[in-house]
Amino acid sequence: MKNFTPTGSCPVRDVLCRLGDKWSMLVLLTLNANGVMRFSEIHRTLGDISHRMLTVTLRMLETDGMIRREVYAEVPPRVEYRLTERGGSLLPHIFGLVEWAEANKEAILDGRRRS
Amino acid sequence: MKNFTPTGSCPVRDVLCRLGDKWSMLVLLTLNANGVMRFSEIHRTLGDISHRMLTVTLRMLETDGMIRREVYAEVPPRVEYRLTERGGSLLPHIFGLVEWAEANKEAILDGRRRS
DNA sequence: CGGTATCCTTTGAGATACTG
DNA sequence: CAGTATCTCAAAGGATACCG
């Protein structure tokens, strides 16, 4: 019987849980779709993320090396975000999930309504 | 500029958010690895999930048609869980993520330590 | 054994106001 | 414009006890 007890270093739990939050995936998707983006642009494309949660999410993604943050010493300040290679390498897997979700969406929502 | 504003029916947000919780993926993985399992067996293979959260997670996965639940009218009761076809069809995509996480784990944890 | 109900703590996340 | 700091509230999740 294969075990899934916490070993203290499970990559699923360590790494992926950070991506399972409300916004990380969407930030990666919009950066992938639109290339280099400013803070306010990302904010607009997501629409309903709060100012605060966007900064928090961006910081976490930066810490994990998924995105790169570049500050320009201008007034008013300009900050640009882009995917790193590591971030880009994750995207095909996300797309796999998205396609699966699209394919199974109807059936799943149907089942939820029934119960 | 491609947009990711909430359309009211985004499959990423509707369907995948249910899988982004603390336990769903692990339950699917253990069922995939071990086949038909009883409640208490799943409980043991995960180790640190609470009794309550396991029932909650199993109910959600059942509602979404990812697993099948079978109750046997015995004393003491026996309840068996197994993956459905739909649940199984998701697993390759999860494995994709797991492999990515394994490949990038060191670098990511390293980066976190540094910041 | 498997599940439910209750209570309680912790975390996630929005609103708002302020700063360089 | 981008970011930080508080405050607040809601949801997630654990502990415990009880039921069929």
Side-chain angles (χ1 to χ4, degrees), chain B:
Chain B
M1 175 92 54
K2 193 173 174 200
N3 239 332
F4 286 85
T5 43
T7 59
S9 65
C10 174
V12 186
R13 288 163 105 147
D14 283 353
V15 176
L16 294 183
C17 287
R18 287 279 277 264
L19 302 170
D21 68 26
K22 203 171 171 184
W23 302 110
S24 292
M25 295 258 191
L26 289 169
V27 170
L28 295 179
L29 286 171
T30 197
L31 282 178
N32 179 67
N34 299 310
V36 179
M37 295 178 82
R38 300 182 58 166
F39 182 93
S40 47
E41 290 179 319
I42 303 175
H43 202 179
R44 266 195 305 280
T45 62
L46 298 189
D48 58 344
I49 188 175
S50 71
H51 196 138
R52 182 181 161 276
M53 281 316 293
L54 182 53
T55 25
V56 170
T57 304
L58 289 169
R59 285 295 173 282
M60 291 205 323
L61 290 173
E62 191 195 5
T63 302
D64 282 7
M66 310 289 291
I67 63 176
R68 194 151 62 87
R69 175 172 180 269
E70 214 142 6
V71 187
Y72 296 88
E74 304 175 358
V75 175
R78 188 168 99 248
V79 183
E80 289 182 346
Y81 295 90
R82 76 195 68 206
L83 280 183
T84 60
E85 197 177 336
R86 186 186 298 163
S89 73
L90 176 62
L91 271 145
H93 303 293
I94 298 184
F95 286 132
L97 283 180
V98 172
E99 277 159 30
W100 180 92
E102 262 156 7
N104 290 272
K105 176 188 155 182
E106 290 307 331
I108 289 177
L109 295 182
D110 249 46
R112 286 187 197 169
R113 271 187 290 270
R114 246 184 286 288
S115 64

Side-chain angles (χ1 to χ4, degrees), chain A residues 21-28 46 48-49 53 57, chain B residues 13:
Chain A
D21 68 26
K22 202 172 172 183
W23 302 110
S24 292
M25 296 257 190
L26 288 169
V27 169
L28 295 180
L46 297 189
D48 58 344
I49 187 174
M53 282 316 295
T57 304
Chain B
R13 288 163 105 147

Side-chain angles (χ1 to χ4, degrees), chain A residues 52-81:
Chain A
R52 182 180 161 278
M53 282 316 295
L54 182 53
T55 23
V56 170
T57 304
L58 289 169
R59 285 294 174 284
M60 292 205 322
L61 290 174
E62 191 195 5
T63 302
D64 282 8
M66 310 289 291
I67 63 177
R68 193 151 63 87
R69 175 172 180 270
E70 215 142 5
V71 186
Y72 295 88
E74 304 175 358
V75 175
R78 188 168 98 249
V79 183
E80 288 181 347
Y81 295 91

